[in-house]
Amino acid sequence: MIGFCCCTAAEYDRPGRGGTWNLLLNNSGVVAMHMVVTHHDTVIMFDQTSAGPSGFQLGGCDRRSDPTCWAHSVEYDIATNSIRPLVLKTDTWCSSGAFLSNGTLAQTGGHGDGARRIRYFRPCSNERCWWHESSETLADERWYATNQILPETDRMFVIGGINALTYEFVPKSSPHEGAFDMPFLHETRNRREENDNLYPFVHLMPDGNLFIFANRESILFDYNNNKVVKNFPRIPGDGARSYPSTGSSVMLPLTYEDGFSRVEMLICGGSASGAFEAARQGELYRALSTCGRIVLTDENPEWSIEEMPGPRLMNDMILLPTGDVLIINGARHGCAGWDHADDPVLHPYLYKPYREIGSRFSVLHRTNIARMYHSSAVLLPDGRVLVAGSNPNRHYQYDARFPTELRVEAFSPYYTDPFFDSKRALNVIVKFNHTHHGIHYGEEFVVQFDLSRRPGVIEFYAYAPPFATHSLSMGQRLLKLRCTSFTRQVGGRARARVVAPPSPIIAPSGYYMFTVVNGGVPSASKWVRFIQG
C-alpha cells in the first residue's frame, strides 16, 4: 500500500489516563541535583562534593579521614537498572552543562574549587568512561549559571551566576578572550531576593540569536556582536520566574511546516514577590499559579497568561514526543533554597499546547515521594520520564521533614499504556549514508518500522536531550521533521523518507532521540546524530 506521511485519524488519548509511577531504585547513591541522558542509554546523576558523605561509599580509602571516599556522581544504566559510581574532583554544586556534537557532556562551574572548572564526560558502552577535568578554566566564577550550545560546532555560551553579571564562551576564540559584561543581568538583579536572575532561561532561536529571560524580563540577544536586538514585554503579574523564584521554561516544538520559523515560549510557575526574604524569616508565600506564553517571532509579541491547576515552583517542564509538555516536581509555597519551601506538589500536570485555552491542562496520577529543592526529571528513549533527587538540606540528612531523597522513579505517561500498543510503531530502524558518522543537514534519510494496523497521522520528531538542573532543561529542543514519502507493505512493514533539519541553527550538531508518532502514540526512540556536511 502506498500512502502519505499524514493520514487521517483521531488522537488516541483516552480521557482520565493519568499515567503510572514505578519505583526503580531505593538508593541511587547520590542526589540527582543534575541529570542528563546520554546516547548510550545511560543517565549521569551528580550533586555536590561539599555535601559530605553520600549514599555510596567508594573503596580503597579511610572514610573517617578522607572525604573523597564518597561518590557524588553515578552512571545509571537504563537497561539493567543499576548504577556505577563516578569520581568528581571538584565541586559541581549548582553548576551547568551542555552536550557537544560527539555526545560528550561539557560541564562548567560550581562552587569553591569548582567555580571556574570545565569538566567533560564522554559516555561509553564498556563502563570505562570517567569524568575528565580540563586544564582550561572559565574566565569568571560560575555558580548558578546557564549554558547553551551554539550553532558553531562545540561552542558553548555560558551566562550569569552569583556575582557574575557577564557571559563567556567555551572554548575561547583567542587565548586572551575573557568574559563580556551583560547589562541585562545588572538590570534584572534584585539584591533583596538573592538576585532573582540566577540560572537565566536561555534558548537558541532559528535566526541564530538567543532568547534570554531573567526575573520578569527577556531579550533577543546577538551574541556575535554583543548586542540586544529586541526587548520583549515584561511577563505580567507579580513575582519572578528565575532562581530562586524558580519557575521553568520551554520552547514549544519547532516544525518544518513553517520552515522552523515560528517560535513560541512557555514559562510556568515561580514565586510570589518577596518570597525569598520572607522564607528567611520563616514565612512561606504561596507560589505563582500562572503560565506565560508568547510568540517571540510575532511583529509585536505579547504575553498570554493561563492558569495552571494550582500554584507551583521548582517545577521541571519536559517536552514529550507527542509535542505535549509535562510539568512535574516542585512545591506550592516558598522559593528555592535550603528549607525554603513546603507543601510538595505530587501530581504532575499535562499541558496540551494546541488545544483551546481552558482545556489544555490535566492533572495526572500522583507520586508518594516529595520532589523538592535539588530534584530533576529527564525524558528517556522509551518515552518514560526518570524522576530523581530532592535535598533541601545542606548535607545528606535522612531525619528531616523533607529528607535527602535517593529513590529513583519512572513516570510513564498515558501513551506507554499497553492499550496503545496496537497503534505503536515497532522495530524502528533509521538508515542513512554510512560513509559518514551521522545525518547531514537537509539530507533525506530512510525510516523503517512495523505497524500492526492501518496507520493514523504519522509524524516524525527529533528531541535534543537537555542538561537538567534546578528546573532548567538547558538545550532541550523538539523538532517536527518533514516526511517526503511513505509506503506500507501488506505485512505491515512501513518505509518513510524524512528530511533532516536544515542547519545547526535549527538543530545544533549532536545526538537526538528520533521518534515515530502514529496518531499521537510514540514509538521508542532511536538515537540519530545530525552533523555538518
Side-chain angles (χ1 to χ4, degrees):
M1 183 186 76
I2 298 176
F4 299 95
C5 300
C6 292
C7 311
T8 58
E11 180 181 334
Y12 296 107
D13 179 4
R14 289 187 293 172
R17 296 296 299 178
T20 57
W21 288 89
N22 296 101
L23 180 66
L24 301 179
L25 291 174
N26 277 309
N27 184 2
S28 60
V30 307
V31 172
M33 179 187 297
H34 316 86
M35 192 155 60
V36 297
V37 180
T38 81
H39 67 283
H40 281 283
D41 289 337
T42 60
V43 179
I44 309 303
M45 307 177 193
F46 56 105
D47 60 358
Q48 60 186 102
T49 60
S50 55
S54 68
F56 201 118
Q57 184 187 349
L58 302 173
C61 56
D62 186 351
R63 67 179 183 179
R64 294 168 298 180
S65 59
D66 188 350
T68 62
C69 283
W70 303 91
H72 286 281
S73 176
V74 296
E75 180 184 51
Y76 171 74
D77 186 290
I78 299 170
T80 63
N81 194 39
S82 60
I83 60 172
R84 176 174 71 97
L86 303 169
V87 176
L88 282 167
K89 294 182 179 179
T90 55
D91 199 354
T92 49
W93 182 8
C94 299
S95 52
S96 52
F99 280 108
L100 304 182
S101 62
N102 67 354
T104 295
L105 173 63
Q107 209 276 315
T108 57
H111 182 255
D113 64 355
R116 293 181 59 201
R117 301 300 302 187
I118 303 173
R119 310 166 194 86
Y120 296 99
F121 185 89
R122 184 167 187 177
C124 61
S125 58
N126 59 9
E127 297 191 346
R128 294 182 181 178
C129 38
W130 310 94
W131 284 104
H132 167 69
E133 299 254 353
S134 174
S135 59
E136 297 182 5
T137 59
L138 298 169
D140 284 350
E141 294 186 349
R142 302 286 173 189
W143 193 24
Y144 300 91
T146 301
N147 291 17
Q148 171 63 53
I149 199 68
L150 297 173
E152 303 89 345
T153 301
D154 295 341
R155 191 179 189 214
M156 284 191 302
F157 177 83
V158 187
I159 181 174
I162 290 183
N163 299 320
L165 306 178
T166 61
Y167 69 90
E168 61 183 283
F169 299 98
V170 176
K172 307 295 184 231
S173 59
S174 70
H176 304 293
E177 182 181 281
F180 301 85
D181 186 59
M182 189 67 170
F184 176 70
L185 293 180
H186 292 270
E187 296 161 6
T188 55
R189 191 179 194 185
N190 182 349
R191 291 179 182 273
R192 288 183 60 84
E193 291 297 294
E194 195 65 17
N195 300 321
D196 254 347
N197 68 349
L198 301 176
Y199 274 136
F201 307 154
V202 181
H203 298 268
L204 175 64
M205 297 283 286
D207 63 1
N209 294 313
L210 298 174
F211 171 79
I212 304 176
F213 181 104
N215 202 319
R216 294 174 59 196
E217 313 293 341
S218 52
I219 59 173
L220 185 65
F221 186 66
D222 178 353
Y223 63 86
N224 285 310
N225 295 299
N226 190 21
K227 177 183 176 182
V228 175
V229 177
K230 188 171 190 174
N231 289 278
F232 295 104
R234 169 181 287 185
I235 191 169
D238 243 353
R241 305 283 180 161
S242 47
Y243 187 94
S245 289
T246 309
S248 191
S249 74
V250 68
M251 178 189 286
L252 294 180
L254 301 175
T255 175
Y256 75 92
E257 293 163 327
D258 55 28
F260 303 101
S261 63
R262 187 178 190 273
V263 181
E264 194 164 7
M265 197 66 57
L266 179 70
I267 294 176
C268 294
S271 297
S273 180
F276 182 82
E277 186 62 28
R280 293 178 64 182
Q281 306 301 320
E283 185 177 2
L284 302 181
Y285 289 174
R286 185 178 187 268
L288 302 181
S289 60
T290 55
C291 293
R293 186 165 163 176
I294 186 171
V295 180
L296 299 174
T297 46
D298 278 356
E299 186 174 346
N300 296 298
E302 294 291 340
W303 289 96
S304 171
I305 300 299
E306 300 178 60
E307 285 285 333
M308 291 190 290
R312 202 165 197 143
L313 71 128
M314 298 189 296
N315 45 279
D316 291 274
M317 291 172 65
I318 298 171
L319 287 165
L320 299 177
T322 55
D324 299 331
V325 181
L326 183 71
I327 304 174
I328 198 167
N329 297 342
R332 293 183 181 88
H333 289 85
C335 65
W338 303 127
D339 200 26
H340 278 8
D342 200 354
D343 198 6
V345 187
L346 303 177
H347 292 272
Y349 302 151
L350 184 67
Y351 180 81
K352 290 183 171 290
Y354 306 113
R355 288 186 174 176
E356 293 295 321
I357 291 180
S359 63
R360 292 172 176 168
F361 285 101
S362 56
V363 180
L364 307 181
H365 291 160
R366 58 170 283 166
T367 177
N368 295 316
I369 301 175
R371 299 293 181 180
M372 306 288 281
Y373 191 45
H374 291 151
S375 61
S376 56
V378 290
L379 179 69
L380 297 180
D382 60 14
R384 296 176 301 161
V385 174
L386 193 73
V387 183
S390 187
N391 188 23
N393 313 294
R394 291 187 179 273
H395 301 287
Y396 281 60
Q397 187 174 341
Y398 305 105
D399 58 355
R401 182 158 180 261
F402 296 113
T404 302
E405 187 56 71
L406 299 180
R407 285 175 292 180
V408 177
E409 298 172 286
F411 176 72
S412 300
Y414 73 90
Y415 54 69
T416 63
D417 193 296
F419 173 84
F420 300 107
D421 284 351
S422 62
K423 291 90 177 176
R424 202 178 316 281
L426 301 175
N427 303 316
V428 177
I429 297 175
V430 178
K431 295 185 175 183
F432 56 93
N433 185 351
H434 289 278
T435 59
H436 48 259
H437 301 289
I439 302 170
H440 290 160
Y441 291 104
E443 180 179 62
E444 286 195 3
F445 58 97
V446 173
V447 183
Q448 295 180 341
F449 50 94
D450 292 328
L451 288 173
S452 61
R453 61 165 62 179
R454 185 180 177 86
V457 177
I458 303 290
E459 298 173 317
F460 302 90
Y461 286 91
Y463 176 79
F467 180 93
T469 188
H470 290 77
S471 302
L472 276 76
S473 291
M474 303 178 193
Q476 180 176 225
R477 207 172 188 84
L478 183 64
L479 309 168
K480 184 178 179 181
L481 303 182
R482 182 165 67 96
C483 167
T484 60
S485 68
F486 176 83
T487 304
R488 181 172 180 263
Q489 299 172 349
V490 175
R493 191 66 177 166
R495 184 179 188 273
R497 296 189 68 85
V498 179
V499 183
S503 74
I505 298 175
I506 304 303
S509 300
Y511 284 92
Y512 289 69
M513 296 182 198
F514 177 81
T515 313
V516 180
V517 179
N518 177 30
V521 178
S523 68
S525 298
K526 306 297 287 188
W527 289 100
V528 298
R529 185 185 182 193
F530 298 130
I531 61 173
Q532 297 270 24

